[in-house]
Amino acid sequence: MKKVILTLLALSVCCNLTAQSTFISNLKAKAAKGATIYGTVECNGAPLEGVAVSDGYSIVKTDKKGLYNLVSEKKNGNVFITIPSGYEAPVAAGDVQPQYWAALTADSTTAERHDFELKAVENDKHVMLAITDIHLSNQLGDIDQLKTIVMPRIREEVEKYRKQGIPVYTMCMGDSSFDLFWYDFLFDIKDFRTTIGKIGYPTPIFHTMGNHDNDGATEPNAETDFNATKKYREVFGPTYYSFNIGKVHYIMLDNLRYRNEKRKNMKPGKNMAGARNYDHIVVEEQMEWLRKDLAMIEDKTTPIVVGMHCPVYRMKSEHNSTELYSYFTDENGGRTLPPALYFSEAFKEFKEVHYLTGHTHKLITTHCKYSTDYPQLANTIDHNVSAICGAWWFTAAHGGPHLAPDGSPAGFSVFPVDDKSIEWYFTSADCGAEKQFRAFDLNAVRDYYRTSGELHVLLENNPLLTDFAKVEDNRVAIHVWDWAPDWKISVTENGKPLTVVHEPMENPQYTVAYKIPKSVWRRDLTPNKYKAEPTAHMFHVTASAPDTTLEITVTDSFGKVYTETMVRPKEFSKSMK
């Protein structure tokens, strides 16, 4: 008997984490003629009128009785509501996903009922956390790193705002799992969702998918892009949808077209059917739905926030250029602007548009208004958020700090919202929100490079890397992680201002923390495997002597000031913070 009870409990938990709204309303509902999906939306037993409901193709609104009817072919296998302003969808115990969707279970000709309930909440002032690229695969101690390094910072930020009575939510921009290891390590997208629930993530999470959340075992054919999302849709529901929080309209999209083509000499991994390749683009099917969704917003001063996996825009040379390029791709896989401009056309009527993206594992905010060639994009900012996993959980697993591939810390972005006003800042897993840059005494870096046998081996086999053993005397480098053109940086030495030079530079800490363990420790001395990858968020000054103290002041886009009194010589090591 005890065994049966435990089994039932296990099934109950499993269902909790896979099914969504199973709410059954007492409100009367009857399917209209031809409707295949119908139901009600309510709050505290009272019907809600004007709530948008969609199957991913059509969008209808509830009537005064809270009733909706959809004529649907049920292709996506789900129905979802657009949560209206001033409401929240419930979240089941032990779970993190709001119940704004329901799985469809009947055939395409049978009318089935799905009801939704909401609760009223004051959220004109709220906070949105932006997380991305968690890449859990049950290796490198990634689950433990998530629990011990990242989660304390997330809880710290959440608690800070909850003490003020401000609700906090989270958007996750995909690559939550790691497709290559779904079958090798038996840890797939469902295991990710279970893990997030077990570790007690402190806010509701609105998810979208990344390239590594597709099922690589999907055979390549004309329906690969859709079929590869099957497991994701079973676990997280729609791959594109929208919701409102306060005065902001949020949209989540899948901006990947998955190909998974077969290729010669391919070694894709266990059970993988193809090369796991994809295009960066929002397919027309989603574009049609997106236009319908946006058409329902009458007030064009409503801020629009779009969560997607791949970034849309980037400046070609961030430190001295306004030339824009795009991560979106054409049919041949080449990065090109036209598909991105076509996508952005949907938002042209809106005053303020924010893209929240991931994929690159780097922290780069692109203000499109600085691109004088495309004035139609002046309303658009692409926030490319640093990865939660940093460099795939590798640096901290090997004794270093938790770093991303551009040398910035792994972490997440925070967006405080007050009515229609949106601000943002970055929180690093290692240092929190109060530190936004790291200063390097390049004299100390030079000494480290000259005396490290490991670096000697690395540079000997990778001469394209920067050899900091040759750096000039008394230089100091400052890596400002989320720098944007409206930030200000000043450095003084004995009260005298030093000239701050904005110049891309390789981050020496990342070289030591990531590339040495990857190559020298693993005895992988493949010639020219690594080359310098300068980050555009680097600045340097030249001091008058090796032992002077510098006062560094960095001011962000919203006037918040961050400072460091840099006592020199300042030690350099891979673990420095």
Side-chain angles (χ1 to χ4, degrees), residues 395-409:
T395 58
H398 291 80
H402 195 34
L403 295 180
D406 59 351
S408 65

Side-chain angles (χ1 to χ4, degrees), residues 227-469:
N227 293 338
T229 67
K230 181 176 184 292
K231 286 192 175 183
Y232 179 94
R233 285 182 283 113
E234 290 173 348
V235 175
F236 286 111
T239 58
Y240 55 96
Y241 57 97
S242 65
F243 56 97
N244 297 284
I245 301 178
K247 301 291 177 59
V248 180
H249 186 65
Y250 293 90
I251 303 167
M252 302 297 272
L253 298 174
D254 173 11
N255 67 346
L256 297 154
R257 179 170 53 203
Y258 196 65
R259 292 185 179 275
N260 206 29
E261 296 168 322
K262 292 187 183 295
R263 292 180 175 175
K264 291 182 179 180
N265 303 319
M266 187 180 65
K267 296 180 180 179
K270 186 177 180 181
N271 278 30
M272 298 293 101
R276 300 178 299 121
N277 59 319
Y278 48 87
D279 300 319
H280 303 167
I281 195 168
V282 178
V283 298
E284 189 58 33
E285 193 172 78
Q286 283 188 65
M287 289 298 302
E288 291 177 4
W289 173 87
L290 174 64
R291 294 186 195 103
K292 294 175 184 176
D293 178 79
L294 293 172
M296 292 193 170
I297 305 172
E298 296 179 2
D299 182 1
K300 303 308 179 184
T301 67
T302 299
I304 306 296
V305 177
V306 187
M308 302 170 280
H309 185 59
C310 292
V312 184
Y313 297 112
R314 184 71 55 80
M315 296 298 180
K316 280 193 174 179
S317 180
E318 292 172 71
H319 67 297
N320 63 4
S321 174
T322 59
E323 189 176 359
L324 201 68
Y325 79 95
S326 176
Y327 265 76
F328 275 28
T329 52
D330 58 22
E331 290 294 332
N332 297 317
R335 292 180 183 174
T336 181
L337 269 168
L341 295 174
Y342 175 71
F343 170 69
S344 293
E345 179 76 9
F347 304 98
K348 66 180 180 180
E349 295 181 321
F350 292 91
K351 180 180 178 181
E352 181 179 353
V353 181
H354 298 266
Y355 300 151
L356 273 55
T357 60
H359 190 55
T360 69
H361 293 222
K362 297 178 181 180
L363 181 62
I364 300 173
T365 301
T366 300
H367 295 257
C368 293
K369 66 182 180 182
Y370 294 116
S371 176
T372 54
D373 293 334
Y374 301 96
Q376 71 269 35
L377 299 178
N379 64 343
T380 304
I381 303 175
D382 191 323
H383 305 263
N384 198 202
V385 179
S386 180
I388 287 290
C389 77
W392 304 273
W393 302 107
F394 193 86
T395 58
H398 291 80
H402 195 34
L403 295 180
D406 59 351
S408 65
F412 54 96
S413 294
V414 182
F415 292 79
V417 180
D418 189 351
D419 199 67
K420 293 182 179 180
S421 174
I422 302 177
E423 297 187 359
W424 55 88
Y425 61 87
F426 177 68
T427 298
S428 75
D430 285 332
C431 302
E434 296 307 312
K435 188 175 179 66
Q436 296 293 326
F437 66 90
R438 182 165 293 137
F440 299 97
D441 185 342
L442 293 187
N443 287 346
V445 174
R446 181 176 61 191
D447 291 344
Y448 191 101
Y449 268 62
R450 286 176 176 176
T451 58
S452 169
E454 293 175 331
L455 275 166
H456 175 77
V457 173
L458 178 68
L459 291 168
E460 187 176 48
N461 290 278
N462 297 275
L464 297 178
L465 286 172
T466 302
D467 186 357
F468 284 94

